[in-house]
Amino acid sequence: MYIFLSFAFGCALTYLITILSSTIRSSEILENAMLTYALLMMSAYEVSLQQLENTIVRNRIEQGEAERLRRMHANEFTSFADKKIREIIKFIPPSHENIMRYKNFEQMKLYITQQYRSKHAKTNQKN
């Protein structure tokens, strides 16, 4: 009887340890994936902004019209990014929602800035 209880207790303990370790690992993977996604979105934003600036210079667009195009571009990209972020959030299980550090494009920009400031500070401390 004691052997069976010991075996059952050992199995239950092993199962709990496995679940906890896989949960921790999956949260790390999700956080890294969200940072990677944020970097890709910011890269896309920078590329599209650079293309807009090249178009403005190439076509010699007047200052007022250029400012209107920049505002329109920023609004369109923000709405596009917000829509994509909402689509991603739909697929994240409720148990991992606290890992999401941003819910829209503006929060995503702040998140990236904070991440790279902290990584840069850690790098400077090592040197």
Side-chain angles (χ1 to χ4, degrees):
M1 178 72 171
Y2 290 118
I3 294 173
F4 177 73
L5 287 176
S6 298
F7 178 73
F9 181 72
C11 288
L13 187 63
T14 303
Y15 176 75
L16 289 175
I17 291 172
T18 303
I19 294 297
L20 287 175
S21 65
S22 66
T23 301
I24 292 169
R25 182 69 183 136
S26 67
S27 65
E28 290 172 358
I29 291 170
L30 179 60
E31 191 164 348
N32 288 337
M34 293 310 298
L35 179 59
T36 302
Y37 180 76
L39 287 171
L40 290 172
M41 285 298 279
M42 288 306 297
S43 296
Y45 178 72
E46 293 295 326
V47 166
S48 66
L49 190 60
Q50 185 64 39
Q51 289 174 343
L52 175 66
E53 292 299 325
N54 289 342
T55 302
I56 289 170
V57 169
R58 193 177 312 119
N59 293 326
R60 297 185 181 109
I61 297 175
E62 295 178 16
Q63 184 68 24
E65 181 69 14
E67 287 301 319
R68 187 185 69 75
L69 286 172
R70 288 182 187 109
R71 278 193 309 274
M72 189 170 73
H73 172 267
N75 290 337
E76 286 180 4
F77 196 89
T78 300
S79 65
F80 166 76
D82 288 346
K83 181 181 173 188
K84 292 297 181 185
I85 291 169
R86 281 191 303 272
E87 287 177 13
I88 289 173
I89 290 174
K90 287 179 190 176
F91 294 108
I92 295 176
S95 60
H96 287 77
E97 284 181 356
N98 61 336
I99 296 170
M100 283 294 299
R101 305 286 188 224
Y102 54 88
K103 305 285 188 225
N104 59 40
F105 187 62
E106 293 301 317
Q107 290 176 354
M108 184 176 74
K109 290 193 287 189
L110 291 172
Y111 171 70
I112 289 175
T113 303
Q114 291 168 351
Q115 289 295 311
Y116 279 92
R117 280 185 183 159
S118 67
K119 286 185 181 184
H120 184 67
K122 289 177 186 174
T123 304
N124 285 342
Q125 288 176 355
K126 288 180 183 178
N127 293 332

